[in-house]
């Protein structure tokens, strides 16, 4: 079961809309909205947040949430919030939880962070990694290079060369927008490979989106690791099919 | 007549809180209109009316249980920032009191300190930021001093806390807000009383009324 996500917003519509958007990119992830007050006003409600956290934690054990499943360790939940008091309400909810260990608050922009977190969860990332994905959405794109130079320090340049590479031209009208970026990042996250696309981390949806790659742009894919070839093929397949878009 | 801070006192206290919020609703709205978003009176009134409704459904067994129920209700019904702030205050006070059936002077001072610490942890405000912390901090200090005095009785500790909170609220008038919505106004926030400090003083004054 993937990590679940709870969205806390002052507005019911914002929470529902953000969930709708993220669900489109991560259909297998449980993403729950806790927006507005109990009586539909602008504000946040502890009861709504607790109910969402309960569902997120309880149902991640299986379809038949019984007493046995409740004892099973759920995969964890990441909470995204909008403004000030939503953060306070989410923090308060953690204080009420019997076992808050698997619940992490992400300090991230709501929409960008949620989409990045949802894609990471869809790719099978653990609860820490899902939070990191959300929080990275606020900063500059992540560059996976440092780890690589460390592994090859003082070695010949050739040893740093990728195990597999490929060049693919974007053929769909909209290029590398949110949905394609989610599919690329989500798929790569589940492979045993480090992948860069035009220099950014291929498993980072926000990184891919910052490329601003439109139709006609050639994506240079470099991959390292056991699944390097599969990773390049995966990206190539999606790009050449135009992500199933016109 | 000996004053006993038991669950009956706690229920009366919360009932008087609801009365005070209803009576001062317009005043709190006006204060908040000057430096905030004018919803504080509305929100506090709604929150404590919900607490009253909960008290009507079931009678809590201990003061701590009454405060915990209040915490949950305020956090769910108030809506604005005051919800989690007051909710955390009542929750931390409830935790400090535990299962005790009666509150002695030291326990009340301890509960107030726990409440204040909860507000600070949640809202990250410090004394002098023109927030409810400016009512709570002097109240905690005064309650502690009164509780540590010779032959301290609970009523004098309640009174000390309420008076210090009221003075603390008045002392927010000249301050420039550094936290919350009022901080957007910068220097223009000076010359207005902080609504959160005022509602805090009302709550601590109601605690005295319940023991009288």
């Amino acid at each position: 079961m993937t990590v679940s996500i709870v969205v806390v917003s002052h507005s019911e519509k914002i929470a529902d809309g953000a969930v709708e958007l993220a669900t489109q990119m991560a259909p297998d992830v449980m993403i729950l909205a806790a927006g507005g007050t109990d009586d539909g006003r602008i504000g946040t409600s502890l009861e709504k947040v607790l109910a969402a956290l309960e569902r997120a934690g309880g149902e991640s054990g299986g379809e038949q949430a019984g007493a046995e499943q409740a004892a099973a360790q759920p995969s964890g939940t990441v909470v995204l919030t909008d403004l000030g008091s939503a953060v306070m309400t989410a923090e308060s909810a953690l204080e009420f939880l019997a076992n808050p260990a698997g619940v992490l608050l992400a300090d991230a922009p709501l929409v960008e962070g949620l989409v990045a977190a949802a894609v990471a969860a869809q790719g099978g990332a653990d609860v820490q990694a899902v939070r990191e994905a959300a929080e990275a959405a606020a900063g500059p794109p992540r560059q996976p290079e440092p780890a690589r130079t460390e592994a090859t320090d003082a070695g010949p340049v050739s040893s740093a060369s990728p195990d597999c590479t490929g060049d693919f031209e974007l053929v769909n009208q909209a290029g590398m927008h949110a949905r394609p970026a989610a599919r690329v990042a989500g798929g790569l996250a589940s492979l045993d490979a480090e992948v860069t696309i035009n220099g950014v981390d291929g498993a980072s949806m926000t990184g891919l989106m910052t490329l601003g790659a439109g139709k006609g742009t050639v994506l240079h894919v470099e991959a390292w690791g056991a699944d390097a070839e599969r990773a390049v093929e995966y990206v190539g397949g999606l790009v050449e099919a135009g992500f199933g878009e016109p | 007549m000996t004053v006993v801070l038991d669950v009956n006192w706690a229920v009366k206290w919360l009932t008087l809180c609801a009365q005070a919020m209803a009576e001062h609703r317009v005043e709190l709205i006006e204060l908040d209109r000057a430096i905030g978003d004018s919803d504080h009176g509305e929100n506090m009134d709604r929150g404590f009316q919900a607490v009253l409704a909960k008290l009507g459904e079931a009678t809590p067994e201990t003061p701590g249980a009454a405060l915990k129920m209040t915490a949950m209700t305020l956090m769910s019904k108030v809506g604005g920032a005051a919800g989690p702030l007051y909710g955390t205050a009542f929750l931390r006070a409830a935790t400090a009191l535990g299962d005790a059936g009666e509150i002695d002077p030291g326990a009340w001072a301890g509960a107030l300190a726990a409440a204040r610490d909860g507000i600070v942890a949640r809202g990250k405000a410090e004394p002098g930021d023109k927030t409810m912390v400016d009512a709570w901090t002097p109240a905690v200090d005064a309650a502690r001093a009164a509780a540590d005095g010779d032959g301290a009785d609970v009523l004098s500790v309640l009174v000390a806390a309420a008076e210090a909170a009221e003075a603390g609220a008045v002392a927010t008038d000249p301050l420039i807000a550094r936290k919350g919505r009022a901080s957007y106004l910068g220097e223009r926030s000076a010359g207005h009383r902080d609504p959160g400090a005022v509602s805090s003083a009302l709550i601590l004054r109601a605690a005295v009324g319940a023991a009288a």
Side-chain angles (χ1 to χ4, degrees):
Chain A
M1 186 71 193
T2 59
V3 170
S4 52
I5 301 174
V6 171
V7 178
V8 183
S9 169
H10 279 65
S11 154
E12 192 166 2
K13 286 181 182 169
I14 288 178
D16 290 348
V19 168
E20 185 186 19
L21 175 71
T23 303
Q24 192 191 26
M25 300 184 198
D28 303 324
V29 180
M30 183 191 282
I31 310 173
L32 301 170
T37 63
D38 293 350
D39 48 357
R41 289 173 302 112
I42 294 289
T44 49
S45 158
L46 180 77
E47 270 173 42
K48 278 196 176 188
V49 176
L50 281 176
L53 286 174
E54 222 158 83
R55 266 191 70 199
E59 289 180 17
S60 58
E63 302 119 74
Q64 297 283 81
E68 306 88 60
Q69 264 90 12
Q73 200 61 30
S75 329
T77 306
V78 171
V79 182
L80 283 110
T81 54
D82 60 3
L83 310 165
S85 71
V87 180
M88 289 198 281
T89 300
E91 287 173 352
S92 304
L94 293 200
E95 233 177 290
F96 271 100
L97 286 184
N99 178 23
V103 183
L104 301 181
L105 301 185
D107 181 11
L110 184 64
V111 175
E112 292 87 340
L114 171 63
V115 169
V119 170
Q122 176 80 23
D126 67 18
V127 66
Q128 282 285 355
V130 170
R131 173 167 71 173
E132 280 167 22
E135 294 184 343
R142 226 156 26 98
Q143 301 279 351
E145 297 310 322
R148 196 147 315 287
T149 46
E150 201 175 288
T152 61
D153 60 345
V157 178
S158 61
S159 75
S161 60
D163 299 320
C164 188
T165 64
D167 291 283
F168 310 100
E169 184 180 334
L170 286 168
V171 295
N172 59 316
Q173 289 295 341
M176 184 63 81
H177 63 98
R179 200 168 46 238
R183 288 185 66 188
V184 170
L188 292 180
S190 60
L191 294 177
D192 180 17
E194 291 285 325
V195 183
T196 65
I197 298 177
N198 290 4
V200 306
D201 182 359
S204 163
M205 175 186 170
T206 45
L208 292 173
M209 288 179 68
T210 60
L211 291 175
K215 185 184 180 190
T217 303
V218 174
L219 300 181
H220 179 61
V221 184
E222 298 189 327
W224 295 262
D227 287 337
E229 198 175 326
R230 279 182 64 198
V232 173
E233 278 172 11
Y234 173 75
V235 177
L238 286 176
V239 171
E240 284 170 351
F243 304 99
E245 296 176 0
Chain B
M1 192 186 83
T2 329
V3 175
V4 179
L5 304 191
D6 56 9
V7 69
N8 295 324
W9 166 81
V11 169
K12 194 170 173 200
W13 174 31
L14 297 167
T15 307
L16 291 180
C17 283
Q19 259 178 36
M21 294 307 156
E23 274 167 27
H24 294 264
R25 183 174 152 274
V26 174
E27 178 194 338
L28 292 173
I29 288 172
E30 293 302 324
L31 288 173
D32 198 25
R33 193 190 311 285
I35 56 171
D37 50 5
S38 62
D39 64 356
H40 191 57
E42 198 76 50
N43 286 344
M44 293 302 288
D45 185 26
R46 185 188 323 99
F48 273 100
Q49 288 304 319
V51 171
L52 268 192
K54 281 268 159 86
L55 287 173
E57 288 167 17
T59 309
E61 292 191 356
T62 61
L67 301 196
K68 187 168 183 189
M69 178 280 290
T70 302
M72 185 91 179
T73 307
L74 292 181
M75 283 196 218
S76 293
K77 301 296 179 195
V78 170
L85 290 170
Y86 277 124
T88 303
F90 277 97
L91 180 62
R92 297 280 179 95
T95 307
L97 294 174
D99 297 331
E102 280 184 28
I103 304 167
D104 64 25
W108 178 246
L112 289 183
R116 187 268 319 268
D117 292 349
I119 291 168
V120 170
R122 196 62 78 228
K124 315 280 188 301
E126 291 171 13
D129 284 352
K130 197 182 183 91
T131 70
M132 59 173 74
V133 172
D134 292 318
W136 282 89
T137 295
V140 168
D141 295 343
R144 173 53 61 197
D148 288 347
D150 286 337
D153 65 290
V154 281
L155 186 60
S156 62
V157 179
L158 292 174
V159 169
E163 285 177 353
E166 285 158 357
V170 171
T172 63
D173 287 3
L175 297 176
I176 294 169
R178 287 196 295 256
K179 275 279 182 286
R181 186 97 44 140
S183 64
Y184 302 165
L185 295 175
E187 290 183 4
R188 280 181 292 139
S189 63
H192 300 280
R193 192 159 302 172
D194 179 64
V198 173
S199 58
S200 296
L202 290 174
I203 288 171
L204 294 178
R205 175 54 67 185
V208 177

